[in-house]
Amino acid sequence: MLSGADIDALGQKIYKWCQDLFPICRSITGPGTRQTLTYLQDLLLGLTIHAVPSGTQVFDWTVPDEWQIKDAYILGPDGQKVVDFKDNNLHIVGYSIPTNETLTLEQLQPHLYSLPEQPDAIPYVTSYYSKRWGFCLAQEQRDALTPSEYQVVIDSEIKPGVLNYAELILPGKSEQEVFISTYVCHPSMGNNELSGPTVTAAVCQWLMQQKSLKYTYRIVFIPETIGSITYLSQHLAHLQQHVFAGFNLTCIGDDNAYSYLPSRAGDTLSDRIVKHVMHHIAPDYKQYTWLQRGSDERQYCAPGVDLPIATIMRSKYGAYPQYHTSLDNLDFISPQGLAGGADAVIKSLQILELNGTPKMLVLGEPQLGKRGLYPNMSVKGSAATVRNMMNMISYCDGKLSLLDIAEIINVPFAELYGYVEKLKAVDLLSYE
Amino acid sequence: MLSGADIDALGQKIYKWCQDLFPICRSITGPGTRQTLTYLQDLLLGLTIHAVPSGTQVFDWTVPDEWQIKDAYILGPDGQKVVDFKDNNLHIVGYSIPTNETLTLEQLQPHLYSLPEQPDAIPYVTSYYSKRWGFCLAQEQRDALTPSEYQVVIDSEIKPGVLNYAELILPGKSEQEVFISTYVCHPSMGNNELSGPTVTAAVCQWLMQQKSLKYTYRIVFIPETIGSITYLSQHLAHLQQHVFAGFNLTCIGDDNAYSYLPSRAGDTLSDRIVKHVMHHIAPDYKQYTWLQRGSDERQYCAPGVDLPIATIMRSKYGAYPQYHTSLDNLDFISPQGLAGGADAVIKSLQILELNGTPKMLVLGEPQLGKRGLYPNMSVKGSAATVRNMMNMISYCDGKLSLLDIAEIINVPFAELYGYVEKLKAVDLLSYE
Amino acid sequence: MLSGADIDALGQKIYKWCQDLFPICRSITGPGTRQTLTYLQDLLLGLTIHAVPSGTQVFDWTVPDEWQIKDAYILGPDGQKVVDFKDNNLHIVGYSIPTNETLTLEQLQPHLYSLPEQPDAIPYVTSYYSKRWGFCLAQEQRDALTPSEYQVVIDSEIKPGVLNYAELILPGKSEQEVFISTYVCHPSMGNNELSGPTVTAAVCQWLMQQKSLKYTYRIVFIPETIGSITYLSQHLAHLQQHVFAGFNLTCIGDDNAYSYLPSRAGDTLSDRIVKHVMHHIAPDYKQYTWLQRGSDERQYCAPGVDLPIATIMRSKYGAYPQYHTSLDNLDFISPQGLAGGADAVIKSLQILELNGTPKMLVLGEPQLGKRGLYPNMSVKGSAATVRNMMNMISYCDGKLSLLDIAEIINVPFAELYGYVEKLKAVDLLSYE
């Protein structure tokens, strides 16, 4: 298990990655996303970057043309840039078509996006599949525009190219797979979404440090929606055959909440593990329902896909005011938030790796006193000190898994696993 | 679905029928009940009236002799009628034997029925299977009687005859049947029970207006208890083989509440549909339990009968003070109340007719934007507008019925059926 | 069923037994326990006392040497006994080794046990499996000890001998067995634990008075933990094959609460019966969980043993402040408390004996009026008087047991059994 100091170091490390990646303008395709994947490749030996050509049919969708954005600004009446993509890459509506024209303020207005109720926030807007152009800006900035002529310059390109994603496979003893997915298509925002790929990278490093893995791990860094649909369309049979558990990691970097959104089935092993971990690290964690979904679980758990994927988050997308605005920045996330997210994921993976079925090798309660595992004197209250271990023992019937027992007696899995090791050491228990 | 204007017209129509039928003195047998069935026959082409002779053994019961009441009154000391059946047919205890005798007030008292706690109400009392006579009157009226001699005249007859009921069968494409039952044995009362047969008649007219019916409908207008027992004893095998859903309609004409009483099994399709409809038309509807039953569901769901019959009501029998008194009159029911009851029944039948199993024809989420079914721009909150449809889609796995899905996502069936039609139109969904 | 006077007499009888047995110094082995079993033998014809030699391997445990205590005291500086086993046998730590030495107060202190928060209570302390000696005393008494020299005398013996238990088998028509267990290893305390063996003896006498028994009853009076482990190790296969229900009786003599602790499975017939009985005799009874266990259910329900044993108590061990101290004395228990405990057990056994599956022999509701079992006149509210019977009838489908029905309609089993007898008498019901 991770110590407090480990957690601190982990948080600092992940936060540094976020700082490095923050300025890059990502989208569902294009050079910003490639640059991000290349950065991750430096962190994760074996991470491979894949490219799927524009126009490829993926289920009901088509991989779109690639978008490149070099520059975009609005010149005001005095020739000054009143809105400039170089200040903040959220200023440009994602997939804006190239433009160079002069408009009155009135003509410009339909192309501007702002949030009256959050006057200092630049909203995040995209239009992947409908050709248009637009600028996003703070309401304050918009209100300061005076009736005049404005020159709009968007130096972008939309043309056939590729959709990129990266994949890491860590082989374990079993061919059964744990699937982890996160996405890399958001421009300069923190919780949604640099936290996902960076926390996932940290989790990958932790997995790679383990002496051995019981299960094979398949981790993907993809663009949201079109990326998961693309990946599924090319790997569905394999995934359905091998994946027995998995997690979608998103919005996992702020320190305000822990959140869980279930798989569609709702009661898979993945769901049970996340609920168990959350309950013990943050008893007041937020439990959402499938009806509140909005990330790639929509694809992984779609009818006919039906993968057992649960979503682990800190503050859920849509549930915090900074969401999808420039206020979801490096100040909104924190080393503590990121490390806490990584810790929740790692604890979940530890349960996956360590869960087994304990069975007592003696009938009745064992005489633990003679083995130094029980108070050798009966006074009022003496049994309380070993209560958790005794409760566990009372359920080690060779039918219930250790996770089952942890749920029933409401004790962290890790504590119970410690008792399993003690009891195995004195040959009182088998564990398979 | 019925529009507001349709509902208004429906209420007026049903209320008019209630006004016509109110004065008739009905009982479990006799001319008043026959007259009522004949009236309904004029409304419903194909309604057939059946007659079962007195003395016929029906399960544990025997069809009783027929009762005719022509006149009944009590003459006071000055020769005036102090209680007169012609004022209100509730004045006579149902199945009172013929009498003509002079009694002191003290001798008369054991034959009088009144409600001290409802001094202006005439109670409704019957004694079908134990020979006696009696008069019901308001407590105020009773208190005004002075010690003196009273002449009691009851011009009634109890002699072999028939028990009548009416039956309407509306054939559908399937031989599977929906069974609807209501009763016609109550004298001049409104909610319990002119509302049942009149609302049922309106429902029958609605069914007869449908272009085609998926299921066959079997509707019976019977006397309560002895009538349902008689009908069951003569049709049990057929009903058990064909009826897959059904409703008992009673107390369905006032505008104070919506109420549901489950079948004995409690979780039949009929129960689920009524609960779904009630939840959406009246979220605070009253849900009773089988232990609070008291109408013909007692017979239809009896052990060994076990039909899937749920009861739809407005204010439940026994749950309103006017129940079984002269205060349950034409003022207690209303066009709005009757139409609301009919609407709940019709909505339930629509679900029966339209329920199917939707299955998406693509894997992953469909790209609805290119079909004009999804916002083509992603801004904060844009997904909310199509949330119900997307939630439905996420459950269209070819296993869950549309009703299952409507229950899971808590959206009216009719709204979801609209999405089904849209998605079928663009070949994204099959529905069987 | 027991009448009020029966209950009074029962309470007085059991309380008298408690008074007789209170002074005896019991332990898990030794003459005090034997004396107790011999006393019970006088009450219960056929009770046989068994002896298992020290050193016998029983599951993970070994039957310990036998402990005899003849005298034990601490002599103060003036030669007076400051603590004397003869005043209260709780003064000596159970299984104290023989000692005769002179110690300073400081040297003596580690051998003294008291309860600062209960200054007038002598605690109950044992050390069966770790050789030591000690004295228990009230904190007040301990605080009065002055720095000085004290002579400690313990005239005890620990040597090979036997572990005793007693067993009573009452044959019934069926070879299926009901198992009842209670324990006899506690010295002078009342609720925990003279109530268990004395109430059990009263229950045995009640069973022996029955004209015939449907099931065979196996009742054991044993030392706690080592006794149940010993008994199980020698009878496990038989018990697993024959026992279909059973109860552990402990802490069943005070009048402050009714308590139930479930079997590990939690939903056995034994559990359901205890819950039903408790619910009706004490609706606010305390329902504990398996995680709060602490008596011989730990062994009977251990993994691989898995007997269907539920525990019936008044105030649960550990849940009242007097527990395991000298304050759990003859004043803490009472005739009312003991009789109430016995009554709960007897009611449970009656359900076991009488439970069957009722099936109506007619379809639909029977016409009870013609048999004098139903009001023959219908007035407002007349159905309420027979509501429980009618509800029962509505579930007599030949599938549900009478206990099932009693649970569903929330009426005491005994009341329903009365209706069963009435309906059988008029050939309306079969009951098997």
Side-chain angles (χ1 to χ4, degrees), chain B residues 59 167 177 179 218 228-243 299-308, chain C residues 362-364:
Chain B
F59 292 158
E167 182 185 49
E177 290 186 7
F179 182 67
R218 175 181 295 263
S228 49
I229 286 171
T230 297
Y231 191 82
L232 283 171
S233 77
Q234 301 189 340
H235 299 82
L236 184 61
H238 179 91
L239 295 173
Q240 289 183 331
Q241 194 180 342
H242 293 85
V243 172
Q299 313 311 329
Y300 296 131
C301 302
V305 177
D306 297 317
L307 295 175
Chain C
V362 295
L363 287 166

Side-chain angles (χ1 to χ4, degrees), chain C residues 315-375:
Chain C
S315 290
K316 178 184 176 281
Y317 45 83
Y320 56 99
Q322 298 84 346
Y323 167 72
H324 269 201
T325 75
S326 56
L327 303 181
D328 182 358
N329 54 26
L330 290 171
D331 292 336
F332 184 67
I333 59 173
S334 66
Q336 293 71 27
L338 294 157
D343 181 52
V345 179
I346 288 170
K347 283 194 165 69
S348 299
L349 300 182
Q350 284 175 319
I351 295 178
L352 272 174
E353 287 280 316
L354 297 179
N355 193 30
T357 302
K359 183 173 180 178
M360 290 305 292
L361 299 176
V362 295
L363 287 166
E365 285 186 347
Q367 194 186 2
L368 295 170
K370 68 186 180 192
R371 298 176 177 94
L373 296 171
Y374 200 92

Side-chain angles (χ1 to χ4, degrees), chain A residues 143-423:
Chain A
D143 292 342
L145 298 178
T146 52
S148 179
E149 297 219 316
Y150 292 88
Q151 188 188 354
V152 173
V153 177
I154 299 179
D155 181 6
S156 69
E157 235 180 340
I158 302 185
K159 60 173 187 188
V162 298
L163 175 151
N164 294 109
Y165 69 84
E167 181 186 51
L168 178 66
I169 294 174
L170 301 173
K173 289 174 193 158
S174 165
E175 288 193 347
Q176 279 197 286
E177 291 185 6
V178 179
F179 182 66
I180 299 174
S181 175
T182 191
Y183 47 93
V184 289
C185 57
H186 282 59
S188 297
M189 287 178 291
N191 199 44
N192 181 223
E193 192 65 83
L194 274 174
S195 67
T198 54
V199 165
T200 302
V203 168
C204 290
Q205 290 188 344
W206 177 84
L207 282 167
M208 293 159 91
Q209 284 159 14
Q210 302 308 299
K211 267 177 292 191
S212 76
L213 294 169
K214 186 168 170 186
Y215 299 110
T216 295
Y217 288 78
R218 175 180 295 263
I219 304 106
V220 296
F221 301 81
I222 55 175
E224 200 181 9
T225 304
I226 186 67
S228 49
I229 286 171
T230 298
Y231 192 83
L232 283 171
S233 77
Q234 301 189 340
H235 299 82
L236 184 61
H238 179 92
L239 296 173
Q240 289 184 329
Q241 194 178 345
H242 293 84
V243 172
F244 77 104
F247 307 102
N248 181 41
L249 303 185
T250 176
C251 296
I252 192 167
D254 71 301
D255 205 19
N256 304 303
Y258 280 90
S259 307
Y260 149 72
L261 193 137
S263 72
R264 186 165 69 100
D267 58 354
T268 70
L269 180 60
S270 314
D271 291 289
R272 289 177 53 202
I273 288 175
V274 177
K275 279 189 275 192
H276 179 78
V277 167
M278 292 272 168
H279 171 62
H280 287 289
I281 64 178
D284 59 345
Y285 78 99
K286 292 190 196 304
Q287 184 167 341
Y288 291 95
T289 73
W290 172 252
L291 301 186
Q292 295 167 294
R293 74 201 177 286
S295 175
D296 277 333
E297 68 280 345
R298 284 152 41 219
Q299 313 310 329
Y300 297 132
C301 303
V305 178
D306 296 318
L307 295 176
I309 307 297
T311 297
I312 300 176
M313 298 168 286
R314 300 298 307 252
S315 290
K316 178 183 176 282
Y317 46 82
Y320 56 98
Q322 298 85 345
Y323 167 73
H324 270 202
T325 77
S326 57
L327 303 180
D328 182 358
N329 54 27
L330 289 170
D331 292 335
F332 184 67
I333 58 171
S334 67
Q336 293 72 28
L338 294 157
D343 181 52
V345 179
I346 289 170
K347 282 194 165 71
S348 299
L349 300 182
Q350 283 176 319
I351 296 178
L352 271 175
E353 287 281 314
L354 297 178
N355 193 29
T357 301
K359 183 174 181 178
M360 291 306 292
L361 299 176
V362 296
L363 287 165
E365 284 186 347
Q367 194 185 3
L368 295 170
K370 67 185 180 191
R371 297 177 178 93
L373 296 172
Y374 199 92
N376 60 22
M377 191 161 197
S378 167
V379 299
K380 257 178 116 160
S382 56
T385 60
V386 289
R387 176 57 76 177
N388 286 351
M389 180 174 63
M390 296 311 293
N391 279 343
M392 181 191 83
I393 286 174
S394 85
Y395 282 106
C396 291
D397 59 2
K399 291 170 203 151
L400 298 167
S401 75
L402 195 61
L403 178 62
D404 292 334
I405 298 173
E407 288 174 346
I408 294 170
I409 72 177
N410 194 22
V411 171
F413 179 93
E415 178 181 336
L416 295 193
Y417 191 74
Y419 303 140
V420 163
E421 292 191 316
K422 277 189 188 176
L423 294 168

Side-chain angles (χ1 to χ4, degrees), chain C residues 180-235:
Chain C
I180 299 174
S181 176
T182 192
Y183 46 94
V184 288
C185 57
H186 282 59
S188 298
M189 287 178 293
N191 200 43
N192 182 224
E193 192 64 83
L194 275 173
S195 67
T198 52
V199 165
T200 303
V203 168
C204 290
Q205 289 188 345
W206 178 85
L207 282 166
M208 293 159 91
Q209 285 159 14
Q210 302 309 300
K211 266 176 291 189
S212 75
L213 295 169
K214 186 167 170 187
Y215 299 110
T216 295
Y217 289 77
R218 174 180 296 263
I219 303 105
V220 295
F221 300 80
I222 54 173
E224 200 181 10
T225 304
I226 186 66
S228 50
I229 286 171
T230 298
Y231 192 82
L232 282 171
S233 76
Q234 300 188 341
H235 298 82

Side-chain angles (χ1 to χ4, degrees), chain C residues 25 67-75 81 83-89 91-93 96-100 134-135 152-157:
Chain C
C25 183
W67 181 58
Q68 292 207 14
I69 176 78
K70 285 169 205 149
D71 203 2
Y73 51 84
I74 303 173
L75 285 181
K81 292 182 178 171
V83 180
D84 187 352
F85 165 69
K86 294 202 165 124
D87 291 343
N88 188 318
N89 60 39
H91 276 313
I92 189 74
V93 167
S96 278
I97 57 177
T99 307
N100 189 336
F135 283 86
V152 173
V153 177
I154 300 180
D155 181 7
S156 71
E157 234 181 339

